[in-house]
Amino acid sequence: MNDSRGRPMAAEPQIPQVPQVPWSGLGLPPLAGRLLEYLVGHPETAPAEAAAALGTSTAAAGRALRLLEAELLAVRVSGRAARWSASPPRPALGTLLARRREELATLERHAEQLHEVHISVSNHRFASDQFEILDTEEQVTARYAHLLRAARHEVLHLVMPPYVAAVDGVPDRLAVQAAAIRAGVRFRSVYDSDTLTDEVSLGTARRGVEIGGQVRLSSGLPMKLVLFDGTTAIMPLRRDDAAAGSLLVHSPTLLHVLAALFESLWEHGVPWGQEARPQPPAPAADAPNPRAREVLRLLSLGMKQETIARTLGVSRRTVQKDVSDIGTALGARNRFQIALLAQERGWLTPGR
């Protein structure tokens, strides 16, 4: 077959298919990149022909061709009508890539200079590149939100008052957390059972479980902490004074220690919410019912009956009855005996 100019038509060339070629990395718009790919296999192409093949206008194809010419990636073939061919791709693209590498290297050096300036004007708030002090609630809230959105694998929390981030921002943070969980990020939180008494903590924990997070309770947490993907952590400078500021940690050694601390507390914590309700084997005849078992588990943490009632969303009278029934079943006279005898019978063992 012959083309419109009477030349024999060769077989349609096969252009290698590379998905999602990032032509923008070379400063080329997507259309210019597609047009370059087309010209490689179709030399001496008119703008109208290229436009029809790519599904765009002749004017847009013309602008893209002029851009390719300016970058030395295409050349205008002389003749009665303007036609275009691609320059040899390897040297042409190699020159453009080399220029981009030089630009990126310059930007990297500039980033280091900006970082040095940032350190010098921050009143020595950086002890080193391993740490940063966040002085205000606004700084903590902003950095937390940024790291939460950037998380890709796992976020770990040790939760206890006093709280630094603004309470009115809880719904937004939970919305971001829900989106991250849907994207595959795992959220694990250990709440301090001694301080799980206010509605904000209870509501946040319940909502966290509802959206797919995992929650456990532990008595006497040593500190507040949040770790993002094992690469960054936020922790308080002083355990009992939120106004003293927070420490942003980048040190790999300290991050490893903090992760080990979390895993230890997680391992010994009492599951709460969905995690606390696996499908267990049929209980023994004298074993407490599921709610009473959960009351027993929280009681073993040293939680007061009023706190247990608020945590489970039941009345204090219900908790008192459950404790009384458990004590009667065990023949125990006080909380210590209840915990000891329940442990001996396996009632505190998950899944039993």
Side-chain angles (χ1 to χ4, degrees):
M1 295 180 62
N2 297 333
D3 62 13
S4 59
R5 301 175 65 188
R7 299 174 302 182
M9 293 183 63
E12 184 72 14
Q14 297 297 314
I15 306 300
Q17 295 299 311
V18 181
Q20 301 295 325
V21 175
W23 289 110
S24 59
L26 289 176
L28 294 178
L31 178 59
R34 291 170 53 210
L35 188 52
L36 175 61
E37 293 172 346
Y38 184 80
L39 289 180
V40 168
H42 301 81
E44 299 188 25
T45 295
E49 296 170 358
L54 299 180
T56 187
S57 67
T58 301
R63 289 192 296 270
L65 286 167
R66 289 190 291 275
L67 174 61
L68 293 175
E69 182 182 33
E71 296 290 355
L72 305 181
L73 296 174
V75 60
R76 189 193 303 257
V77 180
S78 61
R80 187 170 53 185
R83 306 185 78 86
W84 300 77
S85 292
S87 301
R90 182 180 296 166
L93 285 171
T95 299
L96 193 56
L97 284 167
R99 188 166 74 236
R100 284 290 170 176
R101 291 190 189 101
E102 292 177 1
E103 293 172 352
L104 289 173
T106 300
L107 283 172
E108 188 174 8
R109 290 192 296 270
H110 189 57
E112 290 299 320
Q113 294 170 356
L114 290 175
H115 185 67
E116 294 299 326
V117 173
H118 183 49
I119 293 174
S120 66
V121 300
S122 298
N123 297 322
H124 306 289
R125 290 168 54 248
F126 288 83
S128 68
D129 284 343
Q130 307 297 307
F131 306 99
E132 178 183 353
I133 293 177
L134 306 176
D135 294 316
T136 66
E137 173 187 310
E138 290 76 15
Q139 289 177 344
V140 175
T141 300
R143 195 62 62 91
Y144 176 88
H146 171 76
L147 292 169
L148 192 60
R149 286 181 169 84
R152 291 295 176 266
H153 305 292
E154 185 172 53
V155 178
L156 309 176
H157 280 94
L158 297 180
V159 188
M160 60 183 296
Y163 302 112
V164 179
V167 173
D168 56 7
V170 169
D172 290 337
R173 293 193 293 273
L174 286 172
V176 174
Q177 180 177 330
I181 289 174
R182 290 193 297 270
V185 180
R186 186 186 185 194
F187 279 75
R188 291 189 288 155
S189 302
V190 180
Y191 279 75
D192 187 84
S193 59
D194 296 335
T195 58
L196 191 64
T197 57
D198 63 283
E199 290 300 329
V200 173
S201 296
L202 286 170
T204 303
R206 290 194 184 106
R207 181 58 182 150
V209 171
E210 290 171 0
I211 62 180
Q214 295 174 274
V215 172
R216 293 189 179 185
L217 303 178
S218 183
S219 178
L221 293 186
M223 60 185 292
K224 293 189 300 182
L225 176 69
V226 55
L227 290 100
F228 303 89
D229 290 337
T231 60
T232 310
I234 300 177
M235 57 183 290
L237 284 174
R238 293 182 58 181
R239 182 179 185 274
D240 57 350
D241 185 4
S246 296
L247 189 66
L248 192 67
V249 180
H250 305 290
S251 166
T253 301
L254 182 53
L255 288 169
H256 180 75
V257 172
L258 294 174
L261 169 64
F262 176 89
E263 295 297 347
S264 177
L265 293 167
W266 177 263
E267 179 68 23
H268 294 89
V270 174
W272 185 60
Q274 294 175 0
E275 187 188 8
R277 298 179 177 87
Q279 296 299 321
D286 63 340
N289 61 54
R291 188 197 62 239
R293 183 187 294 273
E294 196 158 354
V295 168
L296 178 59
R297 286 154 62 82
L298 298 178
L299 194 69
S300 70
L301 284 174
M303 291 180 69
K304 298 178 180 179
Q305 293 184 10
E306 181 178 355
T307 303
I308 294 174
R310 292 168 63 86
T311 301
L312 299 182
V314 299
S315 69
R316 184 175 181 179
R317 185 185 298 273
T318 298
V319 173
Q320 289 173 336
K321 184 179 184 304
D322 286 336
V323 173
S324 176
D325 291 345
I326 292 170
T328 300
L330 293 170
R333 294 188 299 271
N334 54 49
R335 291 166 60 109
F336 176 77
Q337 289 182 349
I338 288 176
L340 182 62
L341 294 174
Q343 182 67 44
E344 290 178 354
R345 293 201 187 186
W347 291 0
L348 295 178
T349 304
R352 288 288 301 275

